[in-house]
Amino acid sequence: MFTNFFKLKENQTSVKTELIAGLTTFLTMVYIVVVNPGILSEAGAPFDAVFMATIIATVVGTLWMGLFANYPIAIAPGMGLNAYFAYSVVGGMGISYEVAFGAVFVSGILFVILSLTPFRKKLIEAIPSNLKHGITAGIGLFIAFIGLRLTGLVVSHPQNLVGLGDLHSPQVLLTLTGLAVTLILMALNVNGALFLGMVITGTIAYFTGQLKFESGVVGLPSMPDVFIFGSPITAFTDMFTYGLYAAVFSFLLVTIFDTTGTMIGVAEQAGLMKGNKMPRARQALLADSVATSVGAVFGTSPTSAYIESSSGVAAGGRTGMTNMVVAFMFLVAMFFAPLVGAISGLAAITSPTLIIVGSFMLSSLSKIDWNTFDEAFPAFLIILTMPLTSSIATGIALGFISYPLLKIVRGKWREVHPLVMLFAVLFFIQLAYVPH
C-alpha cells in the first residue's frame, strides 16, 4: 500500500529508508516543541495551549505535505516569527496575544488565497533577491540576540544600552556549557544535535539543582481552545481596529519567502526538481498556509517549511512517507507536556538553540550583492534594524522604502517592480502616521 501510494519504487527508496529518514528529521526539529511554547509564553500565551497548538500545526502541515504533495519536507512553527510575535507584535504594540493570533490567522488565510492564485509567483518574483536575503539574515540576528538576552549573557547597560552579563551566574554558566556541547555535536555532524544538546544541558541542570520536574514527565494531553482569538470575523476586524497591517504583511511575506526557499532547497537536494520547476508546488505551499491558519486557531505563530528536513533527505527520504513518520512522532510527543514545560521554563536549555539557528540564517549574507551600493544598503538596513528595534516589520519597512529611493536617485527606477513601489509607499505611510 505504502509503496504504490507514495511511489517508493519510482523515487528509488523503500519503507525502511523512509522510516529512518522520518525519525532523523523528527530528531533534528523536535526542539521546536520546547522552544516555541517557551517563546510564546513570554507574550502571556498559556504554555500548555501553545505546546498542543505547536504539535497540531506541525502534524496538519506535515501530513498535508506528505499526502498531497508527496514531499519529505516537514512543516512546523517557524523560528524568528515566533520571536517577532512575542516581543514585537505583543510586546511592542501592547496588544493581547489573542489579538496577535488573529493577525496570524489573517496572514494564513491570505497565504491560502495566494497559494491558489498566480499572484504568489508574481509576488516572489517582484521582491529583489537582496532584500529577501537581508530579511533572512536579519531574522537570524534577531533570534540570536533574544537567545543571548534571555539567559543573561547580554544585559541592559545605562550608557551602551547593552553589555556583557555576569559570567559567573549559574544560568550563564549553564548556557555556555549547553552552547559548547551543542556546537561540538554540530561539528561532529550528529543527527539531532540541537535536540541532544538540550537533553544533555537539561541533564546537567537537573543534577545541579536548576531543573525540577514538579509536575512529572508524562501526562495526558489537553486540547486547547478553538478560535483563541474569538472568531474569523473578529480576527479581520481586529486587524483594522489595532492597525496590524504591517504585522500581517510581515507574517505573510516572511512565511512565503522562507517556505518557498526551503522547499526548493530540500527538493533540489532530494533530486525532485524538474528543471527549474518544482512539481506539485501548489499543494506544497498549501501545506504551509493551511498549517498557519490551523495553528493560529489553536494558538501558535506562523508555520514554515523546515530546513531540518534536509537531514531526513540525507538519510534517504524521498517521499511523503517520511512525513508520515515525522507526524506520528510529534503525536507521541504530545504526551510529554510536563517534561517540555519544565525544560522550557529554564532559558539556559533552549537559548543555545536560538543562537545556533540564528547563525544558520546568517548564511544568506553570502548571497547579497555587497558590491552594488543600491542593492547592498537596503539589505544592510534590514539586517541592522531588525535586532536593534526588535521588529521584523520595521526592518522590512526600512528596506522596502530605501530600495526604490536609491534606485530612483541612481536613475535605475525601471529596475523596481511596481509592487515594490506600492509596498514602499504603504510602509512609509505606516511608519509616518501609525503610532508605534
Side-chain angles (χ1 to χ4, degrees):
M1 181 180 72
F2 292 122
T3 301
N4 294 329
F5 184 84
F6 293 109
K7 301 179 180 178
L8 299 186
K9 290 184 179 179
E10 182 180 321
N11 287 284
Q12 299 179 336
T13 184
S14 65
V15 172
K16 179 182 177 181
T17 300
E18 295 293 300
L19 290 173
I20 294 173
L23 184 59
T24 302
T25 296
F26 170 75
L27 288 175
T28 57
M29 64 180 289
V30 68
Y31 68 86
I32 195 63
V33 302
V34 180
V35 177
N36 196 54
I39 291 177
L40 296 190
S41 61
E42 291 274 312
F47 177 89
D48 290 342
V50 176
F51 172 76
M52 285 301 299
T54 299
I55 292 177
I56 291 170
T58 300
V59 170
V60 169
T62 300
L63 284 177
W64 189 295
M65 181 73 77
L67 293 173
F68 298 111
N70 198 25
Y71 283 127
I73 304 172
I75 302 288
M79 293 295 294
L81 286 176
N82 48 12
Y84 173 60
F85 176 98
Y87 302 107
S88 299
V89 179
V90 177
M93 297 182 179
I95 61 174
S96 68
Y97 66 85
E98 293 95 342
V99 171
F101 281 133
V104 175
F105 178 77
V106 172
S107 71
I109 295 300
L110 292 176
F111 193 6
V112 170
I113 295 172
L114 288 177
S115 298
L116 294 171
T117 65
F119 186 74
R120 171 194 55 81
K121 182 179 179 182
K122 293 181 180 179
L123 179 61
I124 294 174
E125 294 173 348
I127 309 303
S129 59
N130 288 295
L131 291 186
K132 298 175 189 174
H133 300 319
I135 290 171
T136 301
I139 293 174
L141 279 180
F142 178 40
I143 63 175
F145 176 71
I146 289 172
L148 294 170
R149 184 178 61 80
L150 285 176
T151 57
L153 267 169
V154 171
V155 295
S156 61
H157 190 279
Q159 282 80 41
N160 199 41
L161 295 182
V162 293
L164 184 64
D166 180 8
L167 296 182
H168 300 287
S169 74
Q171 177 160 277
V172 170
L173 287 173
L174 181 61
T175 302
L176 293 174
T177 302
L179 184 59
V181 168
T182 309
L183 288 174
I184 291 171
L185 293 172
M186 295 290 299
L188 294 175
N189 295 318
V190 175
N191 284 328
L194 292 175
F195 174 67
L196 291 176
M198 286 194 294
V199 170
I200 294 172
T201 308
T203 301
I204 295 172
Y206 177 76
F207 285 109
T208 56
Q210 297 183 63
L211 177 63
K212 294 181 174 61
F213 300 104
E214 296 176 352
S215 300
V217 174
V218 180
L220 292 175
S222 57
M223 285 297 294
D225 294 332
V226 180
F227 288 114
I228 194 169
F229 45 79
S231 70
I233 295 176
T234 302
F236 281 91
T237 56
D238 282 348
M239 181 181 69
F240 297 104
T241 302
Y242 295 96
L244 300 176
Y245 319 107
V248 169
F249 184 71
S250 296
F251 285 141
L252 178 63
L253 200 65
V254 175
T255 303
I256 289 176
F257 293 156
D258 192 20
T259 294
T260 304
T262 299
M263 285 195 309
I264 291 174
V266 176
E268 285 180 344
Q269 179 190 357
L272 301 173
M273 297 289 287
K274 303 297 182 182
N276 291 324
K277 294 185 178 181
M278 183 177 179
R280 307 177 300 282
R282 176 174 293 182
Q283 294 93 324
L285 283 167
L286 277 173
D288 190 21
S289 56
V290 169
T292 293
S293 302
V294 172
V297 166
F298 291 100
T300 189
S301 49
T303 60
S304 178
Y306 260 56
I307 193 62
E308 284 83 351
S309 303
S310 61
S311 64
V313 169
R318 293 294 181 273
T319 73
M321 187 177 174
T322 295
N323 277 24
M324 300 302 102
V325 179
V326 175
F328 173 76
M329 293 305 297
F330 270 99
L331 286 174
V332 173
M334 72 169 57
F335 292 95
F336 292 88
L339 171 65
V340 173
I343 293 174
S344 64
L346 187 60
I349 298 176
T350 57
S351 287
T353 299
L354 294 177
I355 297 168
I356 293 172
V357 170
S359 75
F360 293 160
M361 299 178 78
L362 285 176
S363 64
S364 295
L365 289 172
S366 64
K367 302 173 185 177
I368 297 173
D369 181 9
W370 294 108
N371 295 318
T372 305
F373 181 75
D374 51 7
E375 292 284 342
F377 188 80
F380 165 76
L381 203 56
I382 292 172
I383 297 165
L384 180 70
T385 54
M386 278 189 184
L388 292 183
T389 63
S390 294
S391 173
I392 291 175
T394 300
I396 292 175
L398 294 176
F400 270 77
I401 292 170
S402 60
Y403 185 86
L405 179 62
L406 290 176
K407 289 294 185 181
I408 291 171
V409 170
R410 301 195 72 174
K412 300 180 180 179
W413 59 271
R414 290 182 181 86
E415 296 181 10
V416 184
H417 195 281
L419 279 176
V420 176
M421 289 285 196
L422 174 62
F423 292 148
V425 172
L426 293 176
F427 274 127
F428 178 79
I429 294 172
Q430 192 268 335
L431 287 179
Y433 298 105
V434 176
H436 296 277

Short mmCIF file of all heavy atoms in Angstrom, two decimals, residues 365-416:
data_model
loop_
_atom_site.label_atom_id
_atom_site.label_comp_id
_atom_site.label_asym_id
_atom_site.label_seq_id
_atom_site.Cartn_x
_atom_site.Cartn_y
_atom_site.Cartn_z
N LEU A 365 23.88 36.02 4.13
CA LEU A 365 24.76 37.18 3.90
C LEU A 365 25.64 36.98 2.66
O LEU A 365 25.95 37.94 1.94
CB LEU A 365 25.65 37.42 5.13
CG LEU A 365 24.97 37.96 6.39
CD1 LEU A 365 25.95 37.96 7.55
CD2 LEU A 365 24.43 39.36 6.16
N SER A 366 26.07 35.75 2.42
CA SER A 366 26.96 35.48 1.30
C SER A 366 26.27 35.65 -0.05
O SER A 366 26.94 35.76 -1.09
CB SER A 366 27.52 34.06 1.41
OG SER A 366 26.49 33.10 1.31
N LYS A 367 24.94 35.68 -0.05
CA LYS A 367 24.19 35.79 -1.31
C LYS A 367 23.83 37.23 -1.66
O LYS A 367 23.26 37.49 -2.72
CB LYS A 367 22.91 34.96 -1.20
CG LYS A 367 23.17 33.49 -0.90
CD LYS A 367 21.87 32.73 -0.65
CE LYS A 367 22.15 31.30 -0.23
NZ LYS A 367 20.89 30.56 0.09
N ILE A 368 24.16 38.17 -0.79
CA ILE A 368 23.86 39.58 -1.03
C ILE A 368 24.95 40.20 -1.90
O ILE A 368 26.14 39.96 -1.70
CB ILE A 368 23.72 40.37 0.29
CG1 ILE A 368 22.55 39.82 1.11
CG2 ILE A 368 23.56 41.86 0.05
CD1 ILE A 368 22.43 40.41 2.49
N ASP A 369 24.55 41.01 -2.87
CA ASP A 369 25.49 41.70 -3.76
C ASP A 369 26.05 42.92 -3.04
O ASP A 369 25.55 44.03 -3.20
CB ASP A 369 24.78 42.10 -5.05
CG ASP A 369 25.72 42.79 -6.03
OD1 ASP A 369 26.95 42.79 -5.78
OD2 ASP A 369 25.23 43.35 -7.03
N TRP A 370 27.11 42.71 -2.28
CA TRP A 370 27.68 43.79 -1.47
C TRP A 370 28.44 44.81 -2.31
O TRP A 370 28.77 45.90 -1.83
CB TRP A 370 28.62 43.21 -0.40
CG TRP A 370 27.90 42.39 0.62
CD1 TRP A 370 27.94 41.04 0.77
CD2 TRP A 370 27.02 42.88 1.65
NE1 TRP A 370 27.14 40.64 1.82
CE2 TRP A 370 26.56 41.75 2.38
CE3 TRP A 370 26.58 44.15 2.03
CZ2 TRP A 370 25.69 41.86 3.46
CZ3 TRP A 370 25.70 44.27 3.11
CH2 TRP A 370 25.27 43.13 3.81
N ASN A 371 28.73 44.49 -3.55
CA ASN A 371 29.50 45.41 -4.41
C ASN A 371 28.63 46.44 -5.11
O ASN A 371 29.15 47.35 -5.75
CB ASN A 371 30.29 44.61 -5.46
CG ASN A 371 31.35 43.72 -4.82
OD1 ASN A 371 32.03 44.15 -3.88
ND2 ASN A 371 31.48 42.49 -5.30
N THR A 372 27.32 46.29 -5.02
CA THR A 372 26.40 47.26 -5.64
C THR A 372 25.67 47.99 -4.52
O THR A 372 24.82 47.41 -3.85
CB THR A 372 25.39 46.53 -6.55
OG1 THR A 372 26.11 45.74 -7.51
CG2 THR A 372 24.52 47.55 -7.29
N PHE A 373 26.00 49.26 -4.34
CA PHE A 373 25.52 50.01 -3.18
C PHE A 373 24.00 50.05 -3.08
O PHE A 373 23.44 49.84 -2.00
CB PHE A 373 26.06 51.45 -3.22
CG PHE A 373 25.63 52.28 -2.04
CD1 PHE A 373 26.21 52.08 -0.79
CD2 PHE A 373 24.64 53.24 -2.16
CE1 PHE A 373 25.82 52.83 0.31
CE2 PHE A 373 24.23 53.99 -1.06
CZ PHE A 373 24.83 53.79 0.17
N ASP A 374 23.32 50.31 -4.19
CA ASP A 374 21.86 50.44 -4.13
C ASP A 374 21.16 49.10 -3.91
O ASP A 374 19.96 49.06 -3.65
CB ASP A 374 21.31 51.14 -5.38
CG ASP A 374 21.81 50.53 -6.67
OD1 ASP A 374 22.47 49.48 -6.60
OD2 ASP A 374 21.56 51.09 -7.75
N GLU A 375 21.89 48.01 -4.01
CA GLU A 375 21.37 46.68 -3.68
C GLU A 375 21.76 46.29 -2.25
O GLU A 375 20.97 45.71 -1.51
CB GLU A 375 21.90 45.62 -4.65
CG GLU A 375 21.39 45.75 -6.07
CD GLU A 375 19.96 45.24 -6.22
OE1 GLU A 375 19.49 44.50 -5.34
OE2 GLU A 375 19.31 45.60 -7.22
N ALA A 376 22.98 46.65 -1.87
CA ALA A 376 23.53 46.22 -0.59
C ALA A 376 22.97 47.00 0.60
O ALA A 376 22.64 46.42 1.64
CB ALA A 376 25.05 46.33 -0.60
N PHE A 377 22.85 48.34 0.46
CA PHE A 377 22.48 49.13 1.62
C PHE A 377 21.07 48.82 2.14
O PHE A 377 20.88 48.72 3.36
CB PHE A 377 22.62 50.63 1.36
CG PHE A 377 22.42 51.46 2.60
CD1 PHE A 377 23.44 51.60 3.52
CD2 PHE A 377 21.19 52.06 2.87
CE1 PHE A 377 23.26 52.33 4.69
CE2 PHE A 377 21.00 52.79 4.03
CZ PHE A 377 22.03 52.92 4.94
N PRO A 378 20.05 48.70 1.28
CA PRO A 378 18.72 48.32 1.81
C PRO A 378 18.75 47.00 2.57
O PRO A 378 18.09 46.86 3.61
CB PRO A 378 17.85 48.23 0.55
CG PRO A 378 18.51 49.15 -0.42
CD PRO A 378 19.99 48.99 -0.17
N ALA A 379 19.54 46.04 2.07
CA ALA A 379 19.66 44.75 2.78
C ALA A 379 20.35 44.96 4.12
O ALA A 379 19.94 44.40 5.14
CB ALA A 379 20.44 43.76 1.92
N PHE A 380 21.40 45.78 4.13
CA PHE A 380 22.12 46.09 5.36
C PHE A 380 21.19 46.76 6.38
O PHE A 380 21.23 46.45 7.57
CB PHE A 380 23.30 47.01 5.05
CG PHE A 380 23.89 47.69 6.26
CD1 PHE A 380 24.69 46.98 7.14
CD2 PHE A 380 23.62 49.02 6.51
CE1 PHE A 380 25.24 47.60 8.26
CE2 PHE A 380 24.16 49.65 7.63
CZ PHE A 380 24.96 48.93 8.50
N LEU A 381 20.34 47.66 5.89
CA LEU A 381 19.42 48.37 6.77
C LEU A 381 18.45 47.40 7.43
O LEU A 381 18.13 47.52 8.63
CB LEU A 381 18.66 49.43 5.97
CG LEU A 381 18.05 50.61 6.73
CD1 LEU A 381 19.13 51.33 7.53
CD2 LEU A 381 17.39 51.57 5.75
N ILE A 382 17.98 46.43 6.68
CA ILE A 382 17.09 45.40 7.22
C ILE A 382 17.81 44.61 8.31
O ILE A 382 17.29 44.40 9.41
CB ILE A 382 16.62 44.45 6.10
CG1 ILE A 382 15.69 45.17 5.13
CG2 ILE A 382 15.90 43.23 6.70
CD1 ILE A 382 15.34 44.36 3.89
N ILE A 383 19.02 44.15 7.98
CA ILE A 383 19.80 43.32 8.91
C ILE A 383 20.10 44.07 10.20
O ILE A 383 20.04 43.51 11.30
CB ILE A 383 21.11 42.87 8.24
CG1 ILE A 383 20.79 41.98 7.03
CG2 ILE A 383 22.00 42.11 9.22
CD1 ILE A 383 21.98 41.78 6.10
N LEU A 384 20.42 45.36 10.07
CA LEU A 384 20.81 46.17 11.23
C LEU A 384 19.63 46.47 12.14
O LEU A 384 19.72 46.36 13.36
CB LEU A 384 21.44 47.48 10.75
CG LEU A 384 21.91 48.46 11.84
CD1 LEU A 384 23.13 47.89 12.55
CD2 LEU A 384 22.23 49.81 11.21
N THR A 385 18.50 46.83 11.54
CA THR A 385 17.38 47.34 12.34
C THR A 385 16.50 46.26 12.96
O THR A 385 15.86 46.51 13.98
CB THR A 385 16.49 48.28 11.49
OG1 THR A 385 16.09 47.60 10.29
CG2 THR A 385 17.24 49.54 11.12
N MET A 386 16.47 45.08 12.38
CA MET A 386 15.63 44.03 12.97
C MET A 386 16.01 43.72 14.42
O MET A 386 15.16 43.77 15.31
CB MET A 386 15.67 42.76 12.12
CG MET A 386 14.73 42.79 10.94
SD MET A 386 14.62 41.18 10.13
CE MET A 386 13.56 41.58 8.75
N PRO A 387 17.29 43.41 14.71
CA PRO A 387 17.63 43.14 16.11
C PRO A 387 17.65 44.39 16.98
O PRO A 387 17.30 44.32 18.16
CB PRO A 387 19.03 42.52 16.02
CG PRO A 387 19.60 43.03 14.74
CD PRO A 387 18.42 43.15 13.81
N LEU A 388 18.02 45.55 16.42
CA LEU A 388 18.12 46.76 17.23
C LEU A 388 16.76 47.34 17.60
O LEU A 388 16.62 48.00 18.63
CB LEU A 388 18.96 47.82 16.49
CG LEU A 388 20.45 47.49 16.32
CD1 LEU A 388 21.17 48.64 15.64
CD2 LEU A 388 21.10 47.17 17.67
N THR A 389 15.76 47.11 16.75
CA THR A 389 14.41 47.61 17.05
C THR A 389 13.50 46.50 17.57
O THR A 389 12.35 46.75 17.92
CB THR A 389 13.76 48.23 15.80
OG1 THR A 389 13.59 47.22 14.79
CG2 THR A 389 14.62 49.36 15.24
N SER A 390 14.03 45.26 17.57
CA SER A 390 13.24 44.08 17.97
C SER A 390 11.96 43.98 17.14
O SER A 390 10.90 43.64 17.66
CB SER A 390 12.90 44.12 19.46
OG SER A 390 14.06 44.00 20.23
N SER A 391 12.07 44.29 15.86
CA SER A 391 10.89 44.27 15.00
C SER A 391 11.26 43.85 13.58
O SER A 391 12.00 44.55 12.88
CB SER A 391 10.22 45.64 14.96
OG SER A 391 9.17 45.67 14.02
N ILE A 392 10.73 42.72 13.15
CA ILE A 392 10.92 42.26 11.78
C ILE A 392 10.22 43.23 10.83
O ILE A 392 10.74 43.56 9.77
CB ILE A 392 10.36 40.84 11.61
CG1 ILE A 392 11.23 39.84 12.39
CG2 ILE A 392 10.30 40.44 10.14
CD1 ILE A 392 10.72 38.42 12.38
N ALA A 393 9.04 43.71 11.22
CA ALA A 393 8.26 44.60 10.37
C ALA A 393 9.00 45.90 10.08
O ALA A 393 9.01 46.40 8.95
CB ALA A 393 6.91 44.90 11.00
N THR A 394 9.63 46.46 11.11
CA THR A 394 10.37 47.71 10.93
C THR A 394 11.54 47.51 9.98
O THR A 394 11.80 48.34 9.10
CB THR A 394 10.88 48.25 12.28
OG1 THR A 394 9.76 48.49 13.13
CG2 THR A 394 11.66 49.54 12.10
N GLY A 395 12.26 46.41 10.14
CA GLY A 395 13.38 46.12 9.25
C GLY A 395 12.93 45.99 7.81
O GLY A 395 13.54 46.56 6.89
N ILE A 396 11.84 45.24 7.58
CA ILE A 396 11.31 45.08 6.23
C ILE A 396 10.88 46.43 5.66
O ILE A 396 11.16 46.76 4.50
CB ILE A 396 10.13 44.09 6.23
CG1 ILE A 396 10.62 42.67 6.56
CG2 ILE A 396 9.41 44.10 4.88
CD1 ILE A 396 9.50 41.66 6.70
N ALA A 397 10.20 47.22 6.49
CA ALA A 397 9.72 48.53 6.02
C ALA A 397 10.86 49.42 5.57
O ALA A 397 10.80 50.02 4.48
CB ALA A 397 8.93 49.20 7.15
N LEU A 398 11.90 49.55 6.36
CA LEU A 398 13.03 50.41 6.01
C LEU A 398 13.74 49.90 4.76
O LEU A 398 14.22 50.70 3.93
CB LEU A 398 14.00 50.51 7.18
CG LEU A 398 13.45 51.23 8.42
CD1 LEU A 398 14.46 51.19 9.57
CD2 LEU A 398 13.09 52.68 8.09
N GLY A 399 13.83 48.59 4.61
CA GLY A 399 14.45 48.04 3.41
C GLY A 399 13.64 48.33 2.17
O GLY A 399 14.18 48.73 1.13
N PHE A 400 12.33 48.17 2.27
CA PHE A 400 11.46 48.41 1.12
C PHE A 400 11.37 49.89 0.76
O PHE A 400 11.14 50.24 -0.40
CB PHE A 400 10.05 47.86 1.41
CG PHE A 400 9.88 46.43 0.99
CD1 PHE A 400 10.40 45.41 1.77
CD2 PHE A 400 9.20 46.10 -0.16
CE1 PHE A 400 10.25 44.09 1.39
CE2 PHE A 400 9.05 44.79 -0.55
CZ PHE A 400 9.58 43.76 0.23
N ILE A 401 11.52 50.77 1.73
CA ILE A 401 11.47 52.20 1.45
C ILE A 401 12.79 52.67 0.81
O ILE A 401 12.80 53.44 -0.17
CB ILE A 401 11.20 53.00 2.74
CG1 ILE A 401 9.79 52.72 3.24
CG2 ILE A 401 11.39 54.51 2.50
CD1 ILE A 401 9.50 53.28 4.62
N SER A 402 13.92 52.21 1.35
CA SER A 402 15.22 52.68 0.87
C SER A 402 15.57 52.10 -0.51
O SER A 402 16.27 52.76 -1.29
CB SER A 402 16.32 52.31 1.88
OG SER A 402 16.39 50.90 2.07
N TYR A 403 15.08 50.91 -0.82
CA TYR A 403 15.45 50.27 -2.09
C TYR A 403 15.01 51.09 -3.30
O TYR A 403 15.84 51.48 -4.14
CB TYR A 403 14.89 48.85 -2.15
CG TYR A 403 15.31 48.09 -3.38
CD1 TYR A 403 16.51 47.39 -3.41
CD2 TYR A 403 14.52 48.06 -4.53
CE1 TYR A 403 16.92 46.69 -4.53
CE2 TYR A 403 14.92 47.38 -5.67
CZ TYR A 403 16.12 46.68 -5.66
OH TYR A 403 16.52 46.01 -6.80
N PRO A 404 13.72 51.39 -3.46
CA PRO A 404 13.32 52.18 -4.63
C PRO A 404 13.88 53.60 -4.59
O PRO A 404 14.16 54.20 -5.64
CB PRO A 404 11.79 52.18 -4.56
CG PRO A 404 11.46 51.87 -3.15
CD PRO A 404 12.56 50.99 -2.65
N LEU A 405 14.06 54.15 -3.38
CA LEU A 405 14.61 55.51 -3.27
C LEU A 405 16.00 55.57 -3.89
O LEU A 405 16.32 56.47 -4.69
CB LEU A 405 14.65 55.92 -1.80
CG LEU A 405 15.22 57.32 -1.51
CD1 LEU A 405 14.36 58.38 -2.16
CD2 LEU A 405 15.31 57.54 0.00
N LEU A 406 16.86 54.63 -3.54
CA LEU A 406 18.22 54.61 -4.09
C LEU A 406 18.21 54.33 -5.59
O LEU A 406 19.03 54.89 -6.34
CB LEU A 406 19.06 53.56 -3.36
CG LEU A 406 19.42 53.88 -1.90
CD1 LEU A 406 20.17 52.71 -1.27
CD2 LEU A 406 20.28 55.14 -1.82
N LYS A 407 17.32 53.45 -6.02
CA LYS A 407 17.25 53.13 -7.45
C LYS A 407 16.83 54.36 -8.26
O LYS A 407 17.37 54.63 -9.34
CB LYS A 407 16.25 51.99 -7.68
CG LYS A 407 16.72 50.63 -7.18
CD LYS A 407 17.91 50.13 -7.98
CE LYS A 407 18.30 48.73 -7.57
NZ LYS A 407 19.48 48.23 -8.32
N ILE A 408 15.87 55.10 -7.74
CA ILE A 408 15.39 56.30 -8.44
C ILE A 408 16.50 57.34 -8.53
O ILE A 408 16.75 57.94 -9.59
CB ILE A 408 14.16 56.89 -7.72
CG1 ILE A 408 12.96 55.94 -7.88
CG2 ILE A 408 13.82 58.28 -8.27
CD1 ILE A 408 11.77 56.31 -7.03
N VAL A 409 17.21 57.58 -7.42
CA VAL A 409 18.29 58.56 -7.39
C VAL A 409 19.39 58.20 -8.38
O VAL A 409 19.99 59.08 -9.01
CB VAL A 409 18.87 58.67 -5.96
CG1 VAL A 409 20.15 59.51 -5.95
CG2 VAL A 409 17.84 59.30 -5.02
N ARG A 410 19.65 56.92 -8.55
CA ARG A 410 20.72 56.47 -9.45
C ARG A 410 20.22 56.22 -10.87
O ARG A 410 20.95 55.69 -11.71
CB ARG A 410 21.37 55.19 -8.90
CG ARG A 410 21.96 55.37 -7.51
CD ARG A 410 22.89 54.25 -7.13
NE ARG A 410 24.15 54.30 -7.87
CZ ARG A 410 25.19 53.49 -7.64
NH1 ARG A 410 25.10 52.56 -6.68
NH2 ARG A 410 26.29 53.57 -8.34
N GLY A 411 18.98 56.62 -11.14
CA GLY A 411 18.44 56.51 -12.48
C GLY A 411 18.10 55.09 -12.90
O GLY A 411 18.03 54.78 -14.09
N LYS A 412 17.88 54.22 -11.92
CA LYS A 412 17.57 52.82 -12.23
C LYS A 412 16.12 52.47 -11.86
O LYS A 412 15.81 51.33 -11.52
CB LYS A 412 18.51 51.89 -11.45
CG LYS A 412 19.98 52.07 -11.77
CD LYS A 412 20.82 51.10 -10.93
CE LYS A 412 22.31 51.22 -11.20
NZ LYS A 412 23.10 50.29 -10.36
N TRP A 413 15.24 53.43 -11.92
CA TRP A 413 13.87 53.21 -11.46
C TRP A 413 13.15 52.12 -12.24
O TRP A 413 12.22 51.50 -11.74
CB TRP A 413 13.08 54.52 -11.53
CG TRP A 413 13.01 55.12 -12.91
CD1 TRP A 413 13.88 56.01 -13.47
CD2 TRP A 413 12.00 54.87 -13.90
NE1 TRP A 413 13.48 56.33 -14.74
CE2 TRP A 413 12.33 55.66 -15.04
CE3 TRP A 413 10.85 54.08 -13.93
CZ2 TRP A 413 11.56 55.66 -16.20
CZ3 TRP A 413 10.08 54.08 -15.09
CH2 TRP A 413 10.44 54.86 -16.19
N ARG A 414 13.61 51.86 -13.49
CA ARG A 414 12.98 50.81 -14.27
C ARG A 414 13.23 49.42 -13.69
O ARG A 414 12.51 48.47 -14.01
CB ARG A 414 13.49 50.85 -15.72
CG ARG A 414 13.01 52.07 -16.52
CD ARG A 414 13.52 52.01 -17.95
NE ARG A 414 13.10 53.16 -18.72
CZ ARG A 414 13.77 54.32 -18.74
NH1 ARG A 414 14.88 54.46 -18.02
NH2 ARG A 414 13.34 55.33 -19.47
N GLU A 415 14.25 49.30 -12.83
CA GLU A 415 14.56 48.01 -12.21
C GLU A 415 13.62 47.69 -11.05
O GLU A 415 13.63 46.56 -10.55
CB GLU A 415 16.00 48.00 -11.71
CG GLU A 415 17.05 48.13 -12.80
CD GLU A 415 18.46 48.09 -12.24
OE1 GLU A 415 18.62 47.78 -11.03
OE2 GLU A 415 19.41 48.37 -13.00
N VAL A 416 12.85 48.67 -10.62
CA VAL A 416 11.98 48.48 -9.46
C VAL A 416 10.60 48.03 -9.92
O VAL A 416 9.93 48.73 -10.69
CB VAL A 416 11.86 49.78 -8.63
CG1 VAL A 416 11.03 49.52 -7.37
CG2 VAL A 416 13.24 50.29 -8.25
#
